[in-house]
Amino acid sequence: MIENQSKQSFASIKRTTSWYFKITRKYRGLFLALLLVYGIGVVLSEVITILIYKKIIDQVTALGVSDMYAVWHSFSLLLLVSAIFFILFRFGERLLRIYEVESYGLLTSFIFEEFERHSYDFYANRMTGSLTAQASRFIGAFNSIVDSFIFTLWWGFIQLIAIIVTVFFFSKIFGFAILAFMLILVPIAFPLVKRRMYFDSIEAEAGSKTK
């Protein structure tokens, strides 16, 4: 029973998410810019920086203090990369705030337009507090979904791809091992996520009801 309800909850979440992006399609270019900015920032901060640290350690270990020019060159490159991804993340935060604020206005207008289309019977059979809670939850959940997508799914995806590519560069055996592990882990984790969505939907429905 829970499995069927989990599937229904997952389908409902997919339908709601598709509505979000249909309503906010006016700012689709801004959203893609967000993905690009954060994607580049993750690669620089999580992969390139680590490789530069490794290079500095290798240079100090191999050369000692005999060739400090090479060490300082790598250190300068590290500072430059750190400055670039810091600026990218700050710029990404500003783009994210703009995207969420502008989308909030579109979602609010959409909700009021939908309310205006309903008849008197619709409101007679529903409590005002319940409708208000549902509308607030629909609008407020958008920011949570966008934040979770960017900082959890997108961030993790870019980080994972970058790590796998980097490991392949140094060792194909370890690269294939990590890739195989992820291919096994994802099918196991996906049903657990769907089950969690079911309980989240129950909590949301309880929060939308008024006595």
Side-chain angles (χ1 to χ4, degrees):
M1 178 179 179
I2 294 180
E3 181 64 26
N4 293 332
Q5 291 175 329
S6 297
K7 292 180 179 179
Q8 293 176 359
S9 299
F10 184 71
S12 176
I13 291 173
K14 286 178 61 178
R15 185 168 59 253
T16 303
T17 303
S18 67
W19 269 108
Y20 281 140
F21 287 102
K22 286 179 181 178
I23 297 168
T24 61
R25 62 181 179 272
K26 177 180 178 181
Y27 300 105
R28 187 175 301 170
L30 183 58
F31 182 73
L32 295 177
L34 269 170
L35 298 183
L36 179 62
V37 169
Y38 276 110
I40 296 174
V42 170
V43 172
L44 292 177
S45 63
E46 303 291 341
V47 179
I48 303 300
T49 301
I50 295 175
L51 293 178
I52 296 176
Y53 274 121
K54 178 182 180 302
K55 183 178 180 180
I56 293 174
I57 294 173
D58 291 342
Q59 288 173 338
V60 173
T61 303
L63 303 175
V65 295
S66 60
D67 190 3
M68 290 301 296
Y69 175 79
V71 176
W72 280 109
H73 181 271
S74 298
F75 185 74
S76 300
L77 181 60
L78 176 63
L79 293 178
L80 177 62
V81 171
S82 299
I84 292 175
F85 74 70
F86 177 82
I87 294 173
L88 284 173
F89 286 149
R90 301 294 78 77
F91 181 62
E93 289 176 0
R94 180 164 181 78
L95 289 179
L96 180 60
R97 297 287 82 80
I98 295 174
Y99 176 72
E100 290 181 342
V101 169
E102 297 296 336
S103 298
Y104 188 89
L106 293 177
L107 292 171
T108 303
S109 299
F110 171 78
I111 287 293
F112 279 108
E113 290 174 1
E114 289 298 311
F115 280 163
E116 290 176 353
R117 293 178 182 177
H118 290 288
S119 63
Y120 174 80
D121 292 336
F122 174 81
Y123 294 100
N125 296 326
R126 289 169 174 81
M127 297 184 67
T128 304
S130 177
L131 291 174
T132 303
Q134 291 175 9
S136 299
R137 188 176 295 277
F138 176 80
I139 297 173
F142 176 76
N143 290 355
S144 298
I145 291 176
V146 172
D147 291 345
S148 298
F149 178 81
I150 292 177
F151 296 114
T152 302
L153 295 179
W154 181 249
W155 191 297
F157 174 76
I158 295 297
Q159 189 177 39
L160 177 63
I161 295 299
I163 290 174
I164 291 177
V165 171
T166 304
V167 172
F168 263 108
F169 180 77
F170 290 102
S171 174
K172 291 184 178 181
I173 295 178
F174 284 111
F176 278 115
I178 294 177
L179 183 60
F181 174 75
M182 294 308 303
L183 292 177
I184 295 174
L185 180 63
V186 170
I188 295 175
F190 189 70
L192 299 177
V193 173
K194 291 176 64 177
R195 181 178 289 264
R196 172 61 186 272
M197 288 179 176
Y198 164 68
F199 291 107
D200 288 343
S201 66
I202 293 179
E203 180 181 358
E205 290 176 3
S208 300
K209 295 179 180 178
T210 57
K211 296 182 179 181

